[in-house]
Structure formats: structure tokens, C-alpha cells
Amino acid sequence: DDGSVGLIDFGQVKQISGRNRETLGKVMIALAESEGRPEDYDKIGKLALELGVEINPDAKKEAAPAIALWLFDGSATELPGGYDMGELSPNSPVQELSSFPQDLVLVGRSTILIKGLSSRLGIPWSLANEWAPIARSALGIGRDSASKKESRVRFRDVWKTLKQWSKGRATKAVQKMPSPIRTKVLSAIVKRQEKKEQHR
């Protein structure tokens, strides 16, 4: 009645310590800005280790950045060090983990749930891309230019995601059609694509 905000804890709430919040923010920014260069992976790996991620002593040097990419960037299609994306693969970066920080277990679990859902829906999703603008704001990195850029890019990102989702849905719908109809639909799509290319 008095307008107070309350929090009901069902065991799904976690407060991350100040130092880990800062480092996690830096990881998200580094992942979002990564262009796949070795120096990008070095920076991501150092930040992942700073978070408290511990890897096996015999792991490849790319294990830490591969774990960060695998966990926080579901839109990544390949991992450094030749690691596989599948968590159950014998060549998964998860196999290189010897310890994961308690502060981040809930974040990791939530990320894996959302990654699975987005994968099932055919929507590439990256926690790093979603959290990087918030992290920049919280850390005071590029406030003015980043906020202007984000306001422009945000709609474009939403539009791109919707287009990717609709393509995935359309593909599934076409695959379910009877063979003769599917052939005609695919033929029409190819002709339309050829016309677009001729007009370029």
C-alpha cells in the first residue's frame, strides 16, 4: 500500500560482489567488442581468470576465452583453440574447467537456459551484446558517444533479430510442406532472389 518495492527470493536471486560485478562488466564489453583477433582473446582470457574461473593445468591457452565465449556469447559460431560449441562434446571448453566462481553460478545457469531457448527458437542471442551497454554505463566507459550509438543501433538489432527469427520459422514451415508444393515455393524463392541480384 505504501509503494515499497519488495523482493521475493525463490533461490533465483544472487548478489554479485562489487569486484566481480566490475570484472564481469569488463568481460561483457570485451566479448561484445571482440573481432576474433588473438589480442581480443588474450584480454577476454585474462578477465575470465580474474573472475575466478580456474582451468585445468594442461588446458590450451585459449581455454579461458573459449569458456567465456561459450558461456556468454550464444551468437558465436566457433571458439578459439578449435573447441566445440556443444557442452557435452569431449572437445568442449567446459571440459577444461576445474573450478567456477560461486558468485557466477546463477548467471551461468541462467545464461545456459536462455541460450537453449534461443537456440530452439532459431534466434542467435548473446548475453555479452545485451549487457555490454549496461556495463559501459555502469563503468562510465564512453557514456556520451556509446549512448547515442546504442539508441541508433538498438532498433537495428531488434529488426535483425526479428528477420533471423522469421527466416528460421519460414524455413521450418517450408520443410513441413508436401514435396510438390515445397518444390514450387523454393523455385519461386530462387527466382525472386535472382531478380534482386539483377537489380543490384
Side-chain angles (χ1 to χ4, degrees):
D1 291 339
D2 66 353
S4 303
V5 176
L7 177 64
I8 300 173
D9 183 356
F10 291 105
Q12 298 297 309
V13 176
K14 177 70 179 167
Q15 184 171 359
I16 301 172
S17 68
R19 181 74 180 142
N20 277 348
R21 269 197 315 261
E22 181 181 336
T23 306
L24 185 60
K26 289 177 181 177
V27 169
M28 296 302 164
I29 293 168
L31 285 168
E33 293 176 351
S34 173
E35 295 176 3
R37 299 177 307 216
E39 56 268 22
D40 294 337
Y41 292 145
D42 286 344
K43 180 179 181 180
I44 293 165
K46 287 175 186 170
L47 288 167
L49 294 174
E50 190 179 317
L51 270 176
V53 171
E54 294 178 16
I55 56 174
N56 297 330
D58 60 340
K60 298 177 192 174
K61 70 174 189 161
E62 297 93 350
I67 290 166
L69 268 166
W70 176 84
L71 186 60
F72 298 126
D73 190 359
S75 65
T77 55
E78 55 184 56
L79 299 174
Y83 287 103
D84 293 338
M85 294 297 291
E87 69 183 278
L88 300 177
S89 165
N91 193 31
S92 169
V94 178
Q95 304 297 326
E96 304 287 14
L97 272 175
S98 63
S99 176
F100 194 76
Q102 277 301 126
D103 264 7
L104 302 177
V105 169
L106 184 62
V107 173
R109 194 183 327 151
S110 302
T111 302
I112 290 169
L113 287 170
I114 295 171
K115 273 177 50 176
L117 182 61
S118 68
S119 173
R120 182 75 175 127
L121 294 173
I123 302 172
W125 181 82
S126 166
L127 180 68
N129 289 337
E130 297 301 321
W131 279 12
I134 299 165
R136 284 187 195 100
S137 175
L139 296 172
I141 298 172
R143 278 193 184 160
D144 296 334
S145 60
S147 63
K148 288 176 186 172
K149 184 179 178 187
E150 283 304 318
S151 65
R152 275 187 271 132
V153 174
R154 194 72 179 146
F155 179 74
R156 193 176 314 143
D157 290 343
V158 171
W159 183 249
K160 182 180 170 185
T161 301
L162 283 172
K163 283 174 61 177
Q164 290 173 336
W165 178 78
S166 64
K167 283 181 183 177
R169 299 294 293 183
T171 301
K172 287 179 182 176
V174 169
Q175 289 172 346
K176 291 181 180 180
M177 291 179 178
S179 182
I181 295 173
R182 183 173 53 232
T183 304
K184 289 180 182 179
V185 169
L186 292 174
S187 174
I189 291 171
V190 169
K191 287 179 184 176
R192 183 174 178 220
Q193 197 66 28
E194 287 172 352
K195 285 183 182 178
K196 278 185 179 179
E197 290 177 12
Q198 288 175 353
H199 291 294
R200 286 184 185 178

